[in-house]
Amino acid sequence: MTGLVVCAAVLAVAGAFGLLHRRTSGRLKVRGRDEERGLGVAELGAELGERATLVQFSSAFCQPCRATRRTLAEVADMVDGVVHVELDAEDRLSLVRELDILKTPTVLVLDARGRIVRRASGQPRKADVIAALGAAVQDGTGRGAV
């Protein structure tokens, strides 16, 4: 009987963790240690967007990376001055370590100067990407109201 109670408790905790993880995955958020970090042509291998840049770290066998690629490309096509840059995480391991990229896809939203203003680990929703871009291009700080 005690084993059954322990098993039920473990399942309840695992279920709660799963729901929390699912809820937070793909959310674009501000991280304090990102605020001062900027990326440029040297790190990205591509020009920054005139207004903002969507940087996606992907890996070869990542299914959510494909869907994220489509979403970010659609948003970049919709908004003038925004470009989408996709980087292979395996090819850029030093940058991955430096930026604390823990999983793919990871999306960084950069302002016009290349400063990281938002980040998402996991597949972001299109509406969240658009909102993050609004914050990035509003005043260049990424902190404005959306």
Side-chain angles (χ1 to χ4, degrees):
M1 187 66 158
T2 305
L4 187 59
V5 172
V6 170
C7 186
V10 168
L11 285 174
V13 169
F17 176 77
L19 288 173
L20 177 65
H21 182 272
R22 185 175 180 195
R23 193 147 200 239
T24 60
S25 181
R27 299 289 176 174
L28 285 152
K29 40 193 150 186
V30 178
R31 273 188 5 166
R33 55 192 152 175
D34 284 341
E35 288 181 355
E36 298 303 317
R37 182 62 170 103
L39 299 174
V41 176
E43 293 91 358
L44 299 177
E47 293 289 328
L48 292 173
E50 185 179 307
R51 297 177 71 197
T53 305
L54 301 170
V55 179
Q56 175 184 347
F57 285 88
S58 299
S59 54
F61 300 103
C62 168
Q63 185 64 34
C65 293
R66 295 181 190 127
T68 299
R69 179 183 310 120
R70 284 190 301 275
T71 299
L72 297 181
E74 286 175 18
V75 171
D77 288 343
M78 287 176 14
V79 183
D80 290 333
V82 174
V83 297
H84 170 226
V85 176
E86 186 173 3
L87 302 175
D88 186 325
E90 293 175 37
D91 292 342
R92 303 291 184 92
L93 285 177
S94 62
L95 187 59
V96 164
R97 288 183 191 112
E98 182 181 332
L99 296 173
D100 199 26
I101 306 293
L102 301 177
K103 69 184 230 179
T104 58
T106 291
V107 175
L108 305 177
V109 179
L110 311 180
D111 66 11
R113 295 180 290 170
R115 287 184 316 122
I116 300 170
V117 295
R118 297 282 192 278
R119 140 188 314 245
S121 293
Q123 183 180 346
R125 296 179 325 161
K126 188 175 185 178
D128 292 338
V129 174
I130 293 169
L133 277 177
V137 301
Q138 182 175 6
D139 62 357
T141 66
R143 295 187 190 104
V146 180

